Amino acid sequence: MSEFNYQGLFAERAPITTRGANRHAKYDFAVAYPDPDTLPLTGLVEALSTALEREGRDLAYYPVSAGYPPLRELVADKLRRDRQMDVTADDIILTSGSGEAINMLIQAMTDPGDVLLTEEYVYLGTMRQMRLWGANVVGVKCDDDGIIPEALDETIRAQEAAGRRVKFLYTIPTFQNPLGWTATLERRQRMLEVCQSHGVPILEDDCYVDLRFEGEDVTSISSMDDSGQVLYTGSMSKIIAPGVRMGYLVAPEMVRERALSFKSGGVNQFAALAIEEYLRNHMYDHIDEENQALRAKRDAMLAALGEHFGNRATWSKPEGGLYLWLTMPEGTDLAGFQDQSFSEGVGYYSGSMFSPEGNGRHMARLCFGHPTAQTVSDGIAELAAIFERNGIFQGK
Amino acid sequence: MSEFNYQGLFAERAPITTRGANRHAKYDFAVAYPDPDTLPLTGLVEALSTALEREGRDLAYYPVSAGYPPLRELVADKLRRDRQMDVTADDIILTSGSGEAINMLIQAMTDPGDVLLTEEYVYLGTMRQMRLWGANVVGVKCDDDGIIPEALDETIRAQEAAGRRVKFLYTIPTFQNPLGWTATLERRQRMLEVCQSHGVPILEDDCYVDLRFEGEDVTSISSMDDSGQVLYTGSMSKIIAPGVRMGYLVAPEMVRERALSFKSGGVNQFAALAIEEYLRNHMYDHIDEENQALRAKRDAMLAALGEHFGNRATWSKPEGGLYLWLTMPEGTDLAGFQDQSFSEGVGYYSGSMFSPEGNGRHMARLCFGHPTAQTVSDGIAELAAIFERNGIFQGK
């Protein structure tokens, strides 16, 4: 069989993406999956059945590009109530996960060479998409209270001085992925002020905000702005299931009509019907149940780290979300050891996978959402044992 | 409220897309919707319930990027059996409708200025995507047997002589949208030969192939090639429901790994589970039922056209699919009259909407999938009445 040769036929910008099957270590702290035992499976089937009975014949139509109107209404209600945002269903586009919303904005706003700002550590899939469209991804220094406003101001000035256009700041202010902190109210205000002074829009990614099991909500950055400078995305993937791929974008009309060009058809109407019916009846009960499960897992991880890592590392104490951030002494090579740890039974992602500049080789994100609390405990003990026998605690 | 000004922040390539709510005329022959009465709603809910019971916990994982393996197995089996293709599940990526598959390939293979070939009339959404990525869309002359091989050869030569690179030929050989014909076996062979002689890959879009209610299947172009030169896409949207947004791409590894970079996350796992379980048990029974309904509607449209249009127009007699192609005398302006017809109660899309060159103003696509047979009859009578009272039959 002579293989047709496609070399020379690909677009210049098209990179090679090889993604095999998702592999899972025995103890998988690498990928941010939610709790499988609180997935609302029965509830979703019942909701779908009810919704299809009511309006399933409309599945014969292609869905409107902004997505199922009743689900957009439900999202708008929720954002007004929970995030103090002044929005209606018309401001919202449903997307295939929040990932599609982010990708649409990247494509609508990035010419090659433009700068997109992120926190100093950022989800690798987002960074990959930004670079695919030619962006310079520039991380902004953070501390435990969020992005440092002075650093944000300096970074924007430096990029503009170098003749580059800063197109937007992408931020996850609540349960930041991967760092786990939540930006304080004051920091949110100052971030917004700095961005206002430079005319730089903000894309606020609030996809983890419902996963709070401790402490008080901090209001959205979007709610502090009435000029349309803050774009906003969220997700149902975290409160229903990642597999449902349902997120949304909130943006002014002139942004929506650009972003829509980069949308891959309507979202799954089948999932939209089920989710709307389910959430309308069960949203907060379900979130409470899920968060109780997550809290127990976080507690198990904190306790196990205290027991097995003691003063040989530091780690964040997140009030919500699916992961914490582990910091080992400078010089420890968690990045280089990641594959070995996986093959010995414990998966994690090192900090350098999340850094635009490749920093954080001595840091790692540990996700506690998917395993049981007992498995979290056992896995942290195992990770300590693996580190011990491979000399990682000695800074190798 | 001072509105933040995004002008100057958008990417140069980002067009404005305004899509309102989908409007439907009283008699809607414009959009290619399937029959709502044979949507397998109860069957899908039952299938989802069964599938979630079996493996719903896996919804907590993000789906693998190629999509739910059992559904890829099912598609591979079907393509081997029905389309004589030599494929396995590993050759297949599930996509959000066949539209996403097409978009992924356009993005992976098009640099600005490259030529993409299509039939002389092509689905407007596909043409829009091609142009979004900078392609020159060039239509190739067709007759009732499909693309004319000599025209294909000449077109490729002319484009290459002009210094342009032809990246692929996009074709819907079965129940072509909008023309409705099916390319003959001989034409398929000759199209492939012409493309082979020029080193131009083919993207075969077979998304309507299951909707045959008359005549004999013609085998896929893909089955005639063992070099990987023919890429292939299909869809479950036509045999389940458009709202489920489930399609697939079959391509060699080196193409898949480029195309994957332009995929918006995994497909909806929730829909994939339901569809796999449903199709595994009911696929051919369901297709038969759907096609009996479609045949009755096509018959109603042919009869009504004969009665009310008589010798004042010609039209195709499709053996499957969702539409036929109406041709009025040259000079009749169906394009200019489209909005007026809509407001008087009958929707259609004029030929010029499907033509890269804006040809076909005296032609129109009429879809018979969604209305009942009685409504099809009434609607064609009404269309003739509208044409009559507006002087369209007099060539206005």
Side-chain angles (χ1 to χ4, degrees), chain B residues 102-126:
Chain B
I102 297 165
N103 293 350
M104 285 161 58
L105 280 178
I106 293 170
Q107 292 183 60
M109 299 187 64
T110 315
D111 287 312
D114 286 344
V115 170
L116 301 181
L117 301 175
T118 66
E119 278 113 6
E120 64 179 310
Y121 295 92
V122 59
Y123 170 56
L124 49 149
T126 304

PDB file of all heavy atoms in Angstrom, chain B residues 102-126:
ATOM      1  N   ILE B 102     -15.246  18.843   9.162  1.00  0.00           N
ATOM      2  CA  ILE B 102     -14.887  19.641   7.982  1.00  0.00           C
ATOM      3  C   ILE B 102     -14.070  20.860   8.404  1.00  0.00           C
ATOM      4  O   ILE B 102     -13.024  21.166   7.811  1.00  0.00           O
ATOM      5  CB  ILE B 102     -16.165  20.052   7.224  1.00  0.00           C
ATOM      6  CG1 ILE B 102     -16.892  18.806   6.707  1.00  0.00           C
ATOM      7  CG2 ILE B 102     -15.841  21.008   6.074  1.00  0.00           C
ATOM      8  CD1 ILE B 102     -18.328  19.073   6.258  1.00  0.00           C
ATOM      9  N   ASN B 103     -14.507  21.540   9.463  1.00  0.00           N
ATOM     10  CA  ASN B 103     -13.779  22.722   9.926  1.00  0.00           C
ATOM     11  C   ASN B 103     -12.362  22.382  10.368  1.00  0.00           C
ATOM     12  O   ASN B 103     -11.427  23.140  10.125  1.00  0.00           O
ATOM     13  CB  ASN B 103     -14.517  23.384  11.094  1.00  0.00           C
ATOM     14  CG  ASN B 103     -15.839  23.972  10.675  1.00  0.00           C
ATOM     15  OD1 ASN B 103     -16.140  24.047   9.489  1.00  0.00           O
ATOM     16  ND2 ASN B 103     -16.638  24.394  11.644  1.00  0.00           N
ATOM     17  N   MET B 104     -12.213  21.253  11.048  1.00  0.00           N
ATOM     18  CA  MET B 104     -10.877  20.853  11.504  1.00  0.00           C
ATOM     19  C   MET B 104      -9.942  20.676  10.315  1.00  0.00           C
ATOM     20  O   MET B 104      -8.785  21.100  10.339  1.00  0.00           O
ATOM     21  CB  MET B 104     -10.974  19.550  12.306  1.00  0.00           C
ATOM     22  CG  MET B 104     -11.553  19.725  13.715  1.00  0.00           C
ATOM     23  SD  MET B 104     -12.181  18.166  14.441  1.00  0.00           S
ATOM     24  CE  MET B 104     -10.716  17.136  14.411  1.00  0.00           C
ATOM     25  N   LEU B 105     -10.450  20.052   9.263  1.00  0.00           N
ATOM     26  CA  LEU B 105      -9.598  19.830   8.076  1.00  0.00           C
ATOM     27  C   LEU B 105      -9.309  21.134   7.344  1.00  0.00           C
ATOM     28  O   LEU B 105      -8.193  21.347   6.869  1.00  0.00           O
ATOM     29  CB  LEU B 105     -10.258  18.835   7.131  1.00  0.00           C
ATOM     30  CG  LEU B 105     -10.085  17.390   7.550  1.00  0.00           C
ATOM     31  CD1 LEU B 105     -10.819  16.484   6.586  1.00  0.00           C
ATOM     32  CD2 LEU B 105      -8.605  16.997   7.613  1.00  0.00           C
ATOM     33  N   ILE B 106     -10.315  21.986   7.254  1.00  0.00           N
ATOM     34  CA  ILE B 106     -10.070  23.289   6.618  1.00  0.00           C
ATOM     35  C   ILE B 106      -8.939  24.008   7.352  1.00  0.00           C
ATOM     36  O   ILE B 106      -7.997  24.509   6.735  1.00  0.00           O
ATOM     37  CB  ILE B 106     -11.357  24.154   6.628  1.00  0.00           C
ATOM     38  CG1 ILE B 106     -12.430  23.534   5.729  1.00  0.00           C
ATOM     39  CG2 ILE B 106     -11.041  25.584   6.170  1.00  0.00           C
ATOM     40  CD1 ILE B 106     -13.811  24.194   5.889  1.00  0.00           C
ATOM     41  N   GLN B 107      -9.026  24.029   8.671  1.00  0.00           N
ATOM     42  CA  GLN B 107      -8.013  24.746   9.445  1.00  0.00           C
ATOM     43  C   GLN B 107      -6.653  24.070   9.351  1.00  0.00           C
ATOM     44  O   GLN B 107      -5.621  24.736   9.322  1.00  0.00           O
ATOM     45  CB  GLN B 107      -8.439  24.857  10.908  1.00  0.00           C
ATOM     46  CG  GLN B 107      -9.638  25.759  11.089  1.00  0.00           C
ATOM     47  CD  GLN B 107     -10.013  25.913  12.549  1.00  0.00           C
ATOM     48  OE1 GLN B 107      -9.233  26.366  13.360  1.00  0.00           O
ATOM     49  NE2 GLN B 107     -11.222  25.517  12.899  1.00  0.00           N
ATOM     50  N   ALA B 108      -6.652  22.749   9.335  1.00  0.00           N
ATOM     51  CA  ALA B 108      -5.371  22.034   9.304  1.00  0.00           C
ATOM     52  C   ALA B 108      -4.677  22.169   7.954  1.00  0.00           C
ATOM     53  O   ALA B 108      -3.462  22.012   7.861  1.00  0.00           O
ATOM     54  CB  ALA B 108      -5.586  20.558   9.632  1.00  0.00           C
ATOM     55  N   MET B 109      -5.430  22.469   6.907  1.00  0.00           N
ATOM     56  CA  MET B 109      -4.850  22.382   5.571  1.00  0.00           C
ATOM     57  C   MET B 109      -4.846  23.677   4.766  1.00  0.00           C
ATOM     58  O   MET B 109      -4.321  23.690   3.653  1.00  0.00           O
ATOM     59  CB  MET B 109      -5.540  21.262   4.788  1.00  0.00           C
ATOM     60  CG  MET B 109      -5.329  19.909   5.483  1.00  0.00           C
ATOM     61  SD  MET B 109      -5.908  18.467   4.569  1.00  0.00           S
ATOM     62  CE  MET B 109      -4.841  18.503   3.140  1.00  0.00           C
ATOM     63  N   THR B 110      -5.419  24.739   5.299  1.00  0.00           N
ATOM     64  CA  THR B 110      -5.549  25.944   4.482  1.00  0.00           C
ATOM     65  C   THR B 110      -4.671  27.079   4.962  1.00  0.00           C
ATOM     66  O   THR B 110      -4.827  27.548   6.099  1.00  0.00           O
ATOM     67  CB  THR B 110      -7.008  26.444   4.476  1.00  0.00           C
ATOM     68  OG1 THR B 110      -7.879  25.338   4.267  1.00  0.00           O
ATOM     69  CG2 THR B 110      -7.205  27.473   3.377  1.00  0.00           C
ATOM     70  N   ASP B 111      -3.774  27.536   4.111  1.00  0.00           N
ATOM     71  CA  ASP B 111      -3.142  28.831   4.316  1.00  0.00           C
ATOM     72  C   ASP B 111      -3.881  29.836   3.442  1.00  0.00           C
ATOM     73  O   ASP B 111      -4.437  29.474   2.403  1.00  0.00           O
ATOM     74  CB  ASP B 111      -1.659  28.774   3.920  1.00  0.00           C
ATOM     75  CG  ASP B 111      -0.832  27.991   4.928  1.00  0.00           C
ATOM     76  OD1 ASP B 111      -0.978  28.257   6.132  1.00  0.00           O
ATOM     77  OD2 ASP B 111      -0.047  27.116   4.512  1.00  0.00           O
ATOM     78  N   PRO B 112      -3.877  31.107   3.868  1.00  0.00           N
ATOM     79  CA  PRO B 112      -4.588  32.110   3.066  1.00  0.00           C
ATOM     80  C   PRO B 112      -4.153  32.074   1.598  1.00  0.00           C
ATOM     81  O   PRO B 112      -2.955  32.008   1.302  1.00  0.00           O
ATOM     82  CB  PRO B 112      -4.187  33.425   3.743  1.00  0.00           C
ATOM     83  CG  PRO B 112      -3.953  33.051   5.167  1.00  0.00           C
ATOM     84  CD  PRO B 112      -3.314  31.688   5.103  1.00  0.00           C
ATOM     85  N   GLY B 113      -5.118  32.087   0.701  1.00  0.00           N
ATOM     86  CA  GLY B 113      -4.829  32.055  -0.734  1.00  0.00           C
ATOM     87  C   GLY B 113      -4.891  30.673  -1.347  1.00  0.00           C
ATOM     88  O   GLY B 113      -4.966  30.539  -2.572  1.00  0.00           O
ATOM     89  N   ASP B 114      -4.883  29.622  -0.515  1.00  0.00           N
ATOM     90  CA  ASP B 114      -4.998  28.263  -1.054  1.00  0.00           C
ATOM     91  C   ASP B 114      -6.382  28.041  -1.657  1.00  0.00           C
ATOM     92  O   ASP B 114      -7.360  28.664  -1.249  1.00  0.00           O
ATOM     93  CB  ASP B 114      -4.790  27.226   0.057  1.00  0.00           C
ATOM     94  CG  ASP B 114      -3.333  27.117   0.477  1.00  0.00           C
ATOM     95  OD1 ASP B 114      -2.454  27.604  -0.271  1.00  0.00           O
ATOM     96  OD2 ASP B 114      -3.075  26.541   1.552  1.00  0.00           O
ATOM     97  N   VAL B 115      -6.427  27.101  -2.601  1.00  0.00           N
ATOM     98  CA  VAL B 115      -7.695  26.783  -3.257  1.00  0.00           C
ATOM     99  C   VAL B 115      -8.316  25.536  -2.631  1.00  0.00           C
ATOM    100  O   VAL B 115      -7.639  24.526  -2.423  1.00  0.00           O
ATOM    101  CB  VAL B 115      -7.479  26.550  -4.767  1.00  0.00           C
ATOM    102  CG1 VAL B 115      -8.749  25.985  -5.413  1.00  0.00           C
ATOM    103  CG2 VAL B 115      -7.062  27.849  -5.443  1.00  0.00           C
ATOM    104  N   LEU B 116      -9.593  25.613  -2.308  1.00  0.00           N
ATOM    105  CA  LEU B 116     -10.374  24.433  -1.953  1.00  0.00           C
ATOM    106  C   LEU B 116     -11.451  24.277  -3.022  1.00  0.00           C
ATOM    107  O   LEU B 116     -12.173  25.223  -3.328  1.00  0.00           O
ATOM    108  CB  LEU B 116     -11.004  24.585  -0.560  1.00  0.00           C
ATOM    109  CG  LEU B 116     -10.017  24.799   0.595  1.00  0.00           C
ATOM    110  CD1 LEU B 116     -10.767  24.901   1.922  1.00  0.00           C
ATOM    111  CD2 LEU B 116      -8.982  23.666   0.663  1.00  0.00           C
ATOM    112  N   LEU B 117     -11.521  23.074  -3.579  1.00  0.00           N
ATOM    113  CA  LEU B 117     -12.494  22.807  -4.632  1.00  0.00           C
ATOM    114  C   LEU B 117     -13.778  22.239  -4.027  1.00  0.00           C
ATOM    115  O   LEU B 117     -13.732  21.450  -3.080  1.00  0.00           O
ATOM    116  CB  LEU B 117     -11.930  21.794  -5.631  1.00  0.00           C
ATOM    117  CG  LEU B 117     -10.637  22.186  -6.341  1.00  0.00           C
ATOM    118  CD1 LEU B 117     -10.155  21.029  -7.208  1.00  0.00           C
ATOM    119  CD2 LEU B 117     -10.846  23.445  -7.180  1.00  0.00           C
ATOM    120  N   THR B 118     -14.904  22.629  -4.609  1.00  0.00           N
ATOM    121  CA  THR B 118     -16.197  22.091  -4.193  1.00  0.00           C
ATOM    122  C   THR B 118     -17.029  21.819  -5.439  1.00  0.00           C
ATOM    123  O   THR B 118     -16.661  22.223  -6.541  1.00  0.00           O
ATOM    124  CB  THR B 118     -16.987  23.104  -3.327  1.00  0.00           C
ATOM    125  OG1 THR B 118     -17.336  24.228  -4.149  1.00  0.00           O
ATOM    126  CG2 THR B 118     -16.168  23.603  -2.149  1.00  0.00           C
ATOM    127  N   GLU B 119     -18.159  21.137  -5.253  1.00  0.00           N
ATOM    128  CA  GLU B 119     -19.119  21.093  -6.344  1.00  0.00           C
ATOM    129  C   GLU B 119     -19.598  22.520  -6.655  1.00  0.00           C
ATOM    130  O   GLU B 119     -19.457  23.414  -5.819  1.00  0.00           O
ATOM    131  CB  GLU B 119     -20.306  20.180  -5.982  1.00  0.00           C
ATOM    132  CG  GLU B 119     -19.997  18.715  -6.217  1.00  0.00           C
ATOM    133  CD  GLU B 119     -19.933  17.860  -4.965  1.00  0.00           C
ATOM    134  OE1 GLU B 119     -20.245  18.375  -3.869  1.00  0.00           O
ATOM    135  OE2 GLU B 119     -19.561  16.674  -5.070  1.00  0.00           O
ATOM    136  N   GLU B 120     -20.197  22.720  -7.814  1.00  0.00           N
ATOM    137  CA  GLU B 120     -20.503  24.104  -8.195  1.00  0.00           C
ATOM    138  C   GLU B 120     -21.545  24.750  -7.291  1.00  0.00           C
ATOM    139  O   GLU B 120     -21.639  25.974  -7.249  1.00  0.00           O
ATOM    140  CB  GLU B 120     -20.908  24.206  -9.666  1.00  0.00           C
ATOM    141  CG  GLU B 120     -22.182  23.501 -10.044  1.00  0.00           C
ATOM    142  CD  GLU B 120     -22.504  23.698 -11.536  1.00  0.00           C
ATOM    143  OE1 GLU B 120     -22.495  24.829 -12.032  1.00  0.00           O
ATOM    144  OE2 GLU B 120     -22.758  22.676 -12.181  1.00  0.00           O
ATOM    145  N   TYR B 121     -22.300  23.926  -6.566  1.00  0.00           N
ATOM    146  CA  TYR B 121     -23.147  24.447  -5.487  1.00  0.00           C
ATOM    147  C   TYR B 121     -22.780  23.667  -4.227  1.00  0.00           C
ATOM    148  O   TYR B 121     -22.606  22.445  -4.267  1.00  0.00           O
ATOM    149  CB  TYR B 121     -24.635  24.293  -5.810  1.00  0.00           C
ATOM    150  CG  TYR B 121     -25.053  25.142  -7.001  1.00  0.00           C
ATOM    151  CD1 TYR B 121     -25.030  24.612  -8.295  1.00  0.00           C
ATOM    152  CD2 TYR B 121     -25.437  26.468  -6.829  1.00  0.00           C
ATOM    153  CE1 TYR B 121     -25.386  25.391  -9.385  1.00  0.00           C
ATOM    154  CE2 TYR B 121     -25.799  27.250  -7.906  1.00  0.00           C
ATOM    155  CZ  TYR B 121     -25.777  26.716  -9.185  1.00  0.00           C
ATOM    156  OH  TYR B 121     -26.128  27.500 -10.249  1.00  0.00           O
ATOM    157  N   VAL B 122     -22.668  24.388  -3.111  1.00  0.00           N
ATOM    158  CA  VAL B 122     -22.146  23.791  -1.878  1.00  0.00           C
ATOM    159  C   VAL B 122     -22.835  24.446  -0.684  1.00  0.00           C
ATOM    160  O   VAL B 122     -23.241  25.609  -0.741  1.00  0.00           O
ATOM    161  CB  VAL B 122     -20.604  23.971  -1.825  1.00  0.00           C
ATOM    162  CG1 VAL B 122     -20.212  25.448  -1.885  1.00  0.00           C
ATOM    163  CG2 VAL B 122     -19.981  23.330  -0.596  1.00  0.00           C
ATOM    164  N   TYR B 123     -22.959  23.698   0.396  1.00  0.00           N
ATOM    165  CA  TYR B 123     -23.601  24.198   1.616  1.00  0.00           C
ATOM    166  C   TYR B 123     -22.930  25.495   2.070  1.00  0.00           C
ATOM    167  O   TYR B 123     -21.713  25.575   2.186  1.00  0.00           O
ATOM    168  CB  TYR B 123     -23.529  23.128   2.708  1.00  0.00           C
ATOM    169  CG  TYR B 123     -23.932  23.595   4.092  1.00  0.00           C
ATOM    170  CD1 TYR B 123     -25.179  24.178   4.318  1.00  0.00           C
ATOM    171  CD2 TYR B 123     -23.070  23.458   5.166  1.00  0.00           C
ATOM    172  CE1 TYR B 123     -25.547  24.608   5.575  1.00  0.00           C
ATOM    173  CE2 TYR B 123     -23.432  23.880   6.436  1.00  0.00           C
ATOM    174  CZ  TYR B 123     -24.664  24.462   6.635  1.00  0.00           C
ATOM    175  OH  TYR B 123     -25.015  24.896   7.891  1.00  0.00           O
ATOM    176  N   LEU B 124     -23.743  26.529   2.316  1.00  0.00           N
ATOM    177  CA  LEU B 124     -23.184  27.852   2.580  1.00  0.00           C
ATOM    178  C   LEU B 124     -22.346  27.910   3.841  1.00  0.00           C
ATOM    179  O   LEU B 124     -21.367  28.656   3.917  1.00  0.00           O
ATOM    180  CB  LEU B 124     -24.283  28.926   2.607  1.00  0.00           C
ATOM    181  CG  LEU B 124     -25.532  28.697   3.449  1.00  0.00           C
ATOM    182  CD1 LEU B 124     -26.066  30.028   3.953  1.00  0.00           C
ATOM    183  CD2 LEU B 124     -26.606  27.986   2.646  1.00  0.00           C
ATOM    184  N   GLY B 125     -22.694  27.096   4.859  1.00  0.00           N
ATOM    185  CA  GLY B 125     -21.896  27.078   6.085  1.00  0.00           C
ATOM    186  C   GLY B 125     -20.478  26.588   5.820  1.00  0.00           C
ATOM    187  O   GLY B 125     -19.510  27.093   6.397  1.00  0.00           O
ATOM    188  N   THR B 126     -20.359  25.603   4.949  1.00  0.00           N
ATOM    189  CA  THR B 126     -19.035  25.084   4.597  1.00  0.00           C
ATOM    190  C   THR B 126     -18.243  26.143   3.836  1.00  0.00           C
ATOM    191  O   THR B 126     -17.059  26.373   4.108  1.00  0.00           O
ATOM    192  CB  THR B 126     -19.188  23.811   3.739  1.00  0.00           C
ATOM    193  OG1 THR B 126     -19.974  22.878   4.466  1.00  0.00           O
ATOM    194  CG2 THR B 126     -17.834  23.195   3.424  1.00  0.00           C
TER     195      THR B 126
END
